[in-house]
Structure formats: structure tokens, C-alpha cells
Amino acid sequence: MSNDSNTSNATLPRNEWPLWEVFVRSKAGLDHKHCGSLHAPDSAMAIQLARDVYTRRQEGTSVWVVRSEHIVASDPGDKDMYFDPMEDKVYRHPSFYKLPDSVDHMQLRSRGRQISSMTTPSITVSPDPQLQYLLRLADTCLIHAQRLAEWCGHAPVLEEDIALTNLSLDLIGQSRALYSHAATVEQRLTGVVRDEDAYAFLREERDYRNPTLVELPLRRGISGPAEDFAGTVLRNLLVATLLKQVWEALSAPGGTADAELAAIAAKSLKEARYHQQHSADWVVRLGDGTEESARRLRDALQRQWPYVAELFESDATDAAAAAAGLGPRMADLRAAWEAEIGEVFTAAGLTRPKSTPFRSTGRQGVHSEHMGFLLAEMQSLQRAYPGGVW
């Protein structure tokens, strides 16, 4: 790894960032193999971006990054001397596989229901506090993932475009596990059989229990005024740190009486730790970068901080879940959350804003004006084609 400082190239224009070559080890004991290259301001960011670009489907166990200028390559003019004969070794080329002419990517399973346009009825979910506790966690992951996914194709650099999309996919995976578990819990309570798609796509707006913070637009041009990139990484820091605290509490010995929830938390914790690290590194980089990047970060903090209070509001659902041993009250996580956020703010030169009397109410089902636009887009396929699966 290069011994460059973490900030030496941070303020360079994007087209002046150094080029790094990426090498990945697929399994323990095997060689690191070159996978490609990417631009990054320093070695720490190069490692992170390499992880997101080249190991997003668990293709590796170790990553090396090397500045391209430090690579000594053979001369193309020496090809014949070094690599002849190659063209006559046809068995080295994947030229003997017959590919299908077309692939049917989409199947529609009617499940006994008539497929019609935008007529699928909404479901009514049990108000049981333990079920609602699970849905709060699942909805937070799903709606946050939907907003992060809006950056796909629009992030400031290609590597970060892929990174944000990967974070979104992690969160969708967490929400799927929680919705599937919620279906089991509701079937036990009421006898009603549902699947994860029903919870994700077939509820009314007031039945979603995510905090308002995660539903606010992230990318400009999507349902009104939104955050820029600085606001995106800041919000991801706030939410990832919260989810990290939740998963740590649930996966700790005695953290929950629900073994399935504990298993979901243990898996999700690994992802949340990376999400927090990724966003924290960007927050520090922007806060300690140019005057413009620091200003944008401070402005984003002023916009988002009033919504933080809702994350830790205690209510009957929290109390019932805690009493049943299902999970912690959100209020009990605030001190640890503030401590971790405070460390990042200090490194980024940010000052925590003062509290305000404003309280958002998304966790109670009363959402901002942006939630309806988000659900209209997110639910359209399932509403029009019930039972549609990829």
C-alpha cells in the first residue's frame, strides 16, 4: 500500500486523481489477480472503492491497490518474444459455449389473481407491537435503500456510483430478511399468509413506519428539492450509525429473545459497519476539504438535524418490544449513537446543531409530502402486475 497521506490529493479535481491498479485474491491461499483500475485521491479511498467495484458479489477475500505509475509493464513491442505462441491455443478461449438466443428475464405469476392495471388492493397489517417493531426496522432499510438507489448513474464519480448502489442493495437485503420474518410472525398471530413483496409494495402510505429522515429526497430532480452529494453521505452516516447500534444490540448475547431476529442482526451488522465507515470517511474528507465542500456539508447538517430527534422517540411499540424481550428501545441507543457521531463530526470540523422543538412523525405513519411520490414509483409494477417476479 502506498504511504501517501489521506488528504494529499483530496482537493484535486476529479480528472487529476491518481490511477490505481486493483488486485483481488478470490480465496485464501490463491494469488492476487489484477481485476482493473480506478481513480482515487489516496490509498484508503482506493481500497474502499476497489471493494465496492470489484468485490461487490463476494468475489474476493483480500484486495491490493497499487499506484499505476509504480507499475513496470512489458513493452507491447515485445509481445512475440514474451507471449508467442498464443493464438494457436484455442482451448484458452471461451469459444465452445452455446448461448441461448434470448433470455426470459421476467415471469408473471398470477397466483390465482387476475392481472389488471393498478387495481391490486392494499393489505391491512396486524397492529401487534412486536410485528410493528419489525416493520419499523424493515421500512427504514427499504426506504433508505430506495433513496440511495436514486444516485445510480448520477454520482459524482463512477466508483462512488457503484458504491452507493451496493449500499442500497445491502439495505434491500436487510429489509427482505426482516419482511420475511415479519410474515412468519404475522402468520403465527393471525393465520394470514403473506410474502415480503406484500409488505414492501402493497401497503398504504400510513402503514409504513420508517422515520421521516430516510424518505426525504436525496438527488436533485426527484420529487422536489433534495440533497447534494454532501447531504447524501451525511444522511448515510446518521442512518448507518443508527442501524449499527440496533444490530449490535440485537446480536449481543441476550439482546433479543427472537433467534431469527438475532441472526438477521448478526449478518446485517457487518454491512452496517462498512456503511458507517464509508460515509464517515466521505464526511471527514468533505469537511476537511475545500471551503465549498465544507460549506455544503454544514448546510446539509442544518437541514437534516431537526429530523434526528424522531429516531430516538420512545412510544408504545418500543415499550412493548422491550418488555417482550424483542429488542431495545430506540431511546436507549442515543448515547452510543451520539458518541460515535461526535467523533466523526470532530474530525470533519462540524458542530452539532442545537435541538429544536420540531418533531417529525414518520414512525407513526404520518409522513412528509415526499413519501407518496416515492411509493407511487416503487409500487407501480407490483400494483399493475400482481405476482410479478424477476
Side-chain angles (χ1 to χ4, degrees):
M1 181 182 292
S2 171
N3 60 359
D4 61 318
S5 70
N6 283 340
T7 59
S8 59
N9 298 294
T11 59
L12 290 176
R14 170 68 179 85
N15 59 4
E16 295 182 18
W17 282 3
L19 185 67
W20 300 77
E21 303 300 325
V22 180
F23 301 80
V24 175
R25 171 184 284 167
S26 58
K27 293 182 180 179
L30 298 182
D31 295 335
H32 285 74
K33 294 186 177 181
H34 184 252
C35 292
S37 58
L38 52 82
H39 289 275
D42 53 53
S43 57
M45 185 59 70
I47 283 285
Q48 287 197 14
L49 295 177
R51 178 263 188 194
D52 287 313
V53 174
Y54 294 106
T55 67
R56 60 187 181 278
R57 297 187 182 91
Q58 297 183 338
E59 298 95 333
T61 60
S62 174
V63 175
W64 287 353
V65 293
V66 182
R67 287 275 287 268
S68 298
E69 64 189 40
H70 297 155
I71 300 286
V72 179
S74 60
D75 191 324
D78 295 332
K79 172 186 174 183
D80 292 341
M81 179 177 68
Y82 281 133
F83 308 116
D84 183 68
M86 284 290 176
E87 295 178 353
D88 61 344
K89 297 181 180 180
V90 295
Y91 57 84
R92 295 190 177 184
H93 303 277
S95 55
F96 303 100
Y97 299 95
K98 181 175 176 57
L99 298 177
D101 295 331
S102 62
V103 178
D104 182 12
H105 292 289
M106 184 82 175
Q107 299 176 349
L108 293 178
R109 294 202 308 254
S110 64
R111 298 174 185 165
R113 296 169 293 187
Q114 172 130 8
I115 296 179
S116 57
S117 177
M118 300 302 288
T119 60
T120 309
S122 299
I123 64 172
T124 301
V125 179
S126 167
D128 178 82
Q130 296 186 49
L131 176 62
Q132 292 296 319
Y133 187 87
L134 292 174
L135 291 178
R136 280 183 175 179
L137 295 176
D139 291 346
T140 300
C141 294
L142 178 67
I143 303 303
H144 185 43
Q146 184 74 7
R147 286 306 193 196
L148 285 177
E150 291 173 354
W151 276 101
C152 183
H154 301 281
V157 294
L158 174 62
E159 294 84 0
E160 190 60 27
D161 190 304
I162 297 173
L164 288 173
T165 305
N166 284 332
L167 301 186
S168 175
L169 289 173
D170 286 345
L171 290 161
I172 289 175
Q174 293 168 25
S175 68
R176 290 188 63 183
L178 289 164
Y179 285 139
S180 295
H181 184 44
T184 301
V185 171
E186 188 170 22
Q187 183 177 4
R188 185 174 67 245
L189 291 170
T190 66
V192 176
V193 178
R194 305 193 197 281
D195 61 13
E196 61 197 58
D197 285 350
Y199 292 114
F201 303 121
L202 297 180
R203 284 180 292 159
E204 294 291 332
E205 177 181 319
R206 283 182 172 267
D207 291 328
Y208 285 82
R209 293 293 186 261
N210 56 278
T212 305
L213 177 64
V214 300
E215 71 196 42
L216 302 177
L218 278 180
R219 191 176 70 79
R220 298 188 185 280
I222 300 294
S223 66
E227 295 291 350
D228 53 16
F229 181 70
T232 296
V233 295
L234 176 64
R235 187 192 303 179
N236 201 34
L237 172 67
L238 302 177
V239 177
T241 303
L242 173 66
L243 290 174
K244 174 177 172 286
Q245 296 296 331
V246 172
W247 303 140
E248 282 182 343
L250 290 171
S251 61
T256 177
D258 187 329
E260 179 65 19
L261 181 57
I264 294 171
K267 180 180 184 300
S268 301
L269 177 59
K270 301 172 185 178
E271 296 169 340
R273 283 173 174 160
Y274 177 75
H275 294 192
Q276 183 195 44
Q277 177 188 340
H278 180 90
S279 55
D281 286 350
W282 268 114
V283 167
V284 172
R285 188 177 305 280
L286 296 176
D288 193 35
T290 66
E291 181 178 347
E292 175 70 9
S293 68
R295 181 192 63 78
R296 287 175 177 262
L297 194 62
R298 291 193 300 270
D299 290 348
L301 181 59
Q302 292 296 326
R303 291 191 298 268
Q304 295 179 25
W305 195 256
Y307 295 93
V308 165
E310 184 194 357
L311 303 178
F312 304 101
E313 290 282 308
S314 290
D315 58 11
T317 298
D318 263 9
L326 181 62
R329 295 179 180 86
M330 293 298 107
D332 295 338
L333 305 177
R334 182 158 195 164
W337 181 89
E338 288 184 341
E340 293 190 10
I341 289 293
E343 291 181 5
V344 179
F345 281 9
T346 298
L350 293 174
T351 301
R352 189 174 70 180
K354 294 180 180 179
S355 299
T356 70
F358 170 78
R359 290 293 183 273
S360 51
T361 53
R363 293 169 76 232
Q364 306 301 322
V366 182
H367 295 278
S368 70
E369 68 273 22
H370 306 291
M371 186 67 167
F373 292 99
L374 184 151
L375 292 180
E377 180 179 13
M378 191 176 78
Q379 295 184 350
S380 60
L381 180 63
Q382 192 65 217
R383 295 279 189 177
Y385 302 101
V389 296
W390 288 102

